[in-house]
Amino acid sequence: MKLAFVIQRYGLEVNGGAELHCRWLAERLAGRHAVEVFATRALDYLEWRNHYPKGSAVVNGIPVHRHTVKRTRNARAFASLSNVCFHETHTREEEEAWVRENGPYSPALVKAVSAARDRFDRFLFYCYRYYHSYHGLPAVRERAILVPTAEEDPAIHLEIMKPLFRAPRGIVYLTPEEQALVEDASGNASVPSVVIGSGLNLPEVDPALDFRRKHGLERPFALYVGRIDRNKGALTLFAYFKKFLEETGADVDLVLAGKSVVAIPEHPRIRHVGFISEEEKVAALRQCRLLVMPSPFESLSVVVVEA
């Protein structure tokens, strides 16, 4: 089959769970199918500034067609629209304005996808809340597969999202909870769907790589890996961890690995080691007592006890 992946950002440098899931799935499917990717030129997800050169490139053997973001996100306008759409009586036009401001605003990407509709058997759109999915998916709906990567977020309850969730030929969910969330919000249970989760690509780690020693960790630690963001439950995690220490007096640290977009509390037991490589991530996982991961379907974090 000829498969097109359509996503907001794509590249080896891109740090994001949905983007990594997309790249891993595209690379696996490329072993048996003809795969291409349509994306914007953006690298960051806050302003969507153009970073990559315009045009086509090859990333790990897959052709990637990058299109210009016409204008960056205006943080003030986006915050204002979010407040109106999520908390006040509003119009359909205001919801569509929210989609445009959320971005990445790339009419060129939408046009390219529409123009390529006869070249591909299926188009896989990541993620539901962005401009390219809202405007691009309907143009190829009979060949479209939506990968929502939805979480408990006010955007999922916008009225304009209900037709989008009902439009594709099929939907790929990452968890049963995500499926239930989308179906409850949109009433799209009749759309064919499947829950596929995600595989893991674990690198070989140098036995000499000692995560604890590298970062001066003397106590047992709970490890959070991912973007440190309000939407990922980071503020809840900080509050719960401090309360846990107060109530138990436990001799444990909270170690945060990943890019931070919220203020991290100045606390002697909360340590931020920044963005780490895949090799160092596996080394950290081998030494932690608890693994704390952001949930893909709700605001609270999920805690998994390490063996």
Side-chain angles (χ1 to χ4, degrees):
M1 296 181 70
K2 293 184 178 180
L3 306 176
F5 284 74
V6 187
I7 192 166
Q8 58 273 12
R9 307 179 294 160
Y10 192 93
L12 301 180
E13 307 86 355
V14 174
N15 175 28
E19 292 87 348
L20 184 60
H21 187 278
C22 175
R23 183 163 64 81
W24 281 358
L25 183 58
E27 290 173 358
R28 284 183 170 89
L29 291 175
R32 291 186 293 174
H33 304 280
V35 174
E36 297 181 31
V37 175
F38 291 79
T40 72
R41 296 169 54 196
L43 177 58
D44 83 281
Y45 68 95
L46 294 176
E47 295 184 336
W48 306 115
R49 294 188 180 277
N50 292 307
H51 170 81
Y52 295 103
K54 179 181 179 180
S56 299
V58 176
V59 178
N60 281 357
I62 297 177
V64 179
H65 313 294
R66 296 192 175 103
H67 300 273
T68 298
V69 177
K70 192 171 183 180
R71 61 177 173 83
T72 57
R73 179 193 284 165
N74 183 314
R76 180 173 295 180
F78 181 57
S80 178
L81 279 167
S82 295
N83 186 59
V84 169
C85 291
F86 299 159
H87 305 295
E88 299 177 8
T89 301
H90 59 273
T91 66
R92 177 184 179 85
E93 289 71 23
E94 286 170 323
E95 290 190 0
E96 291 186 334
W98 181 89
V99 172
R100 288 194 299 274
E101 200 58 59
N102 186 36
Y105 183 62
S106 180
L109 172 56
V110 173
K111 183 178 180 180
V113 169
S114 180
R117 69 179 305 278
D118 293 329
R119 284 208 302 122
F120 295 94
D121 299 299
R122 296 289 183 271
F123 291 81
L124 287 86
F125 285 84
Y126 286 71
C127 309
Y128 85 91
R129 69 199 320 270
Y130 294 128
Y131 179 89
H132 63 276
S133 291
Y134 182 76
H135 290 281
L137 189 152
V140 294
R141 60 179 299 176
E142 71 280 3
R143 303 185 184 195
I145 306 296
L146 178 62
V147 189
T149 67
E151 55 193 1
E152 186 53 75
D153 177 326
I156 201 172
H157 300 293
L158 295 177
E159 284 298 314
I160 62 172
M161 295 303 175
K162 293 180 180 179
L164 178 68
F165 285 125
R166 298 168 186 163
R169 180 162 182 163
I171 298 186
V172 169
Y173 296 108
L174 305 188
T175 66
E177 293 83 0
E178 180 197 11
Q179 181 180 29
L181 177 67
V182 172
E183 290 181 353
D184 288 346
S186 66
N188 74 334
S190 62
V191 178
S193 64
V194 63
V195 177
I196 69 168
S198 176
L200 293 175
N201 291 341
L202 296 180
E204 292 294 327
V205 179
D206 183 351
L209 179 55
D210 189 329
F211 181 81
R212 291 171 58 91
R213 180 181 300 175
K214 178 177 179 178
H215 295 285
L217 301 172
E218 299 178 354
R219 288 180 286 269
F221 65 94
L223 177 68
Y224 173 94
V225 181
R227 191 169 74 243
I228 305 165
D229 193 331
R230 179 189 300 270
N231 288 345
K232 300 300 182 183
L235 301 186
T236 302
L237 174 61
F238 299 153
Y240 280 15
F241 180 71
K242 288 189 285 187
K243 187 173 181 62
F244 169 74
L245 292 181
E246 293 171 1
E247 292 183 349
T248 68
D251 188 33
V252 63
D253 288 340
L254 172 62
V255 175
L256 309 167
K259 181 179 179 181
S260 177
V261 296
V262 296
I264 297 174
E266 292 188 9
H267 191 284
R269 296 292 186 87
I270 299 178
R271 300 282 302 277
H272 181 214
V273 299
F275 185 80
I276 60 177
S277 68
E278 290 297 310
E279 291 77 13
E280 191 173 357
K281 186 185 299 181
V282 174
L285 290 170
R286 289 175 175 172
Q287 293 184 328
C288 73
R289 293 285 295 274
L290 295 171
L291 171 61
V292 185
M293 293 293 290
S295 165
F297 57 89
E298 60 186 7
S299 59
L300 295 178
S301 297
V302 175
V303 180
V304 180
V305 179
E306 289 289 288

